[in-house]
Amino acid sequence: DAGVTQSPTHLIKTRGQQVTLRCSPKSGHDTVSWYQQALGQGPQFIFQYYEEEERQRGNFPDRFSGHQFPNYSSELNVNALLLGDSALYLCASSTLAGGPGEQYFGPGTRLTVT
Amino acid sequence: GDSVTQMEGPVTLSEEAFLTINCTYTATGYPSLFWYVQYPGEGLQLLLKATKADDKGSNKGFEATYRKETTSFHLEKGSVQVSDSAVYFCALSDRSANAGKSTFGDGTTLTVKP
């Protein structure tokens, strides 16, 4: 079992650009959640996808959007990048029937905006 | 909204010392509580959880008890090892939601010296 995988590992972008991050959930999981972890802080919930639809959303602007594919993998897109978007982006997978908190996290994508 | 407050770090201990990391929370509902651990360069791993008042979660020598009256979930370990050096996050999830949308504290960095 490969667990949750994310790509790329690291990414450097310039202000104003757009970025796409990818996540493959753990085998058997159908729900993907995305979190932003700024340096020295805890993860902040961005949104969650199930059945290819956004089910829940945190306090993030519309510049942050996502997608889930029929194979349950997911993408996080961020448009018009700001310096403040520099962070570790974590993907977590789970099952809809799983208990609260039964999430498995990937290693994250480190995004640096210059 | 929901929030989690952890004791500030960093915490530095000698091997075999006793560990306590304080965590308190505020929640509108009746949440489930978690401790996650993050080793350098890795994603978050669920360390332990408790889903109702007075439950004790335990794993790898770590323990935490869900105290509804004091809204706390302090992490303890009787004898820490160098390999326990990591960042520890306290988190909660609304039990009315499925797995996902966890609220995290800012993390406490633990360094254990030989």
Side-chain angles (χ1 to χ4, degrees):
Chain A
D1 184 357
V4 181
T5 60
Q6 292 186 242
S7 63
T9 305
H10 296 88
L11 205 51
I12 299 175
K13 290 287 188 178
T14 303
R15 270 181 304 175
Q17 286 188 318
Q18 179 264 344
V19 68
T20 297
L21 311 181
R22 295 177 176 83
C23 171
S24 291
K26 181 178 169 64
S27 178
H29 285 182
D30 54 16
T31 303
V32 173
S33 301
W34 286 92
Y35 291 82
Q36 179 194 67
Q37 186 180 13
L39 198 61
Q41 296 183 19
Q44 299 289 319
F45 177 78
I46 302 174
F47 43 54
Q48 181 184 82
Y49 276 83
Y50 171 71
E51 290 190 337
E52 303 179 47
E53 291 191 0
E54 185 181 290
R55 292 189 72 248
Q56 302 181 71
R57 189 179 183 92
N59 294 325
F60 279 81
D62 292 344
R63 298 187 297 110
F64 290 76
S65 63
H67 188 77
Q68 186 180 35
F69 299 93
N71 67 353
Y72 308 120
S73 66
S74 177
E75 289 181 348
L76 164 66
N77 301 292
V78 187
N79 295 321
L81 284 167
L82 304 174
L83 294 179
D85 295 331
S86 296
L88 180 68
Y89 288 84
L90 296 167
C91 169
S93 74
S94 56
T95 63
L96 192 61
E102 292 287 350
Q103 301 179 86
Y104 291 80
F105 283 83
T109 294
R110 173 73 62 187
L111 172 64
T112 302
V113 182
T114 62
Chain B
D2 296 346
S3 66
V4 175
T5 303
Q6 291 182 232
M7 69 182 279
E8 292 188 15
V11 174
T12 302
L13 297 173
S14 297
E15 207 164 23
E16 299 183 3
F18 184 85
L19 168 71
T20 299
I21 300 178
N22 290 337
C23 170
T24 56
Y25 67 91
T26 58
T28 52
Y30 188 359
S32 292
L33 303 175
F34 311 89
W35 278 100
Y36 285 85
V37 59
Q38 187 174 34
Y39 298 102
E42 298 184 15
L44 276 69
Q45 300 175 26
L46 179 63
L47 181 59
L48 54 84
K49 68 176 183 180
T51 58
K52 60 183 187 296
D54 300 325
D55 264 4
K56 177 185 284 188
S58 61
N59 186 27
K60 299 180 182 179
F62 291 89
E63 293 183 340
T65 300
Y66 191 144
R67 300 291 188 198
K68 191 166 184 285
E69 63 276 12
T70 56
T71 61
S72 65
F73 193 55
H74 305 321
L75 182 69
E76 297 181 337
K77 186 175 186 183
S79 176
V80 294
Q81 305 300 312
V82 172
S83 58
D84 294 328
S85 297
V87 182
Y88 292 82
F89 292 92
C90 185
L92 65 81
S93 274
D94 183 347
R95 294 197 308 167
S96 65
N98 69 308
K101 197 179 181 180
S102 293
T103 299
F104 288 82
D106 283 341
T108 301
T109 300
L110 170 66
T111 301
V112 180
K113 298 193 171 183

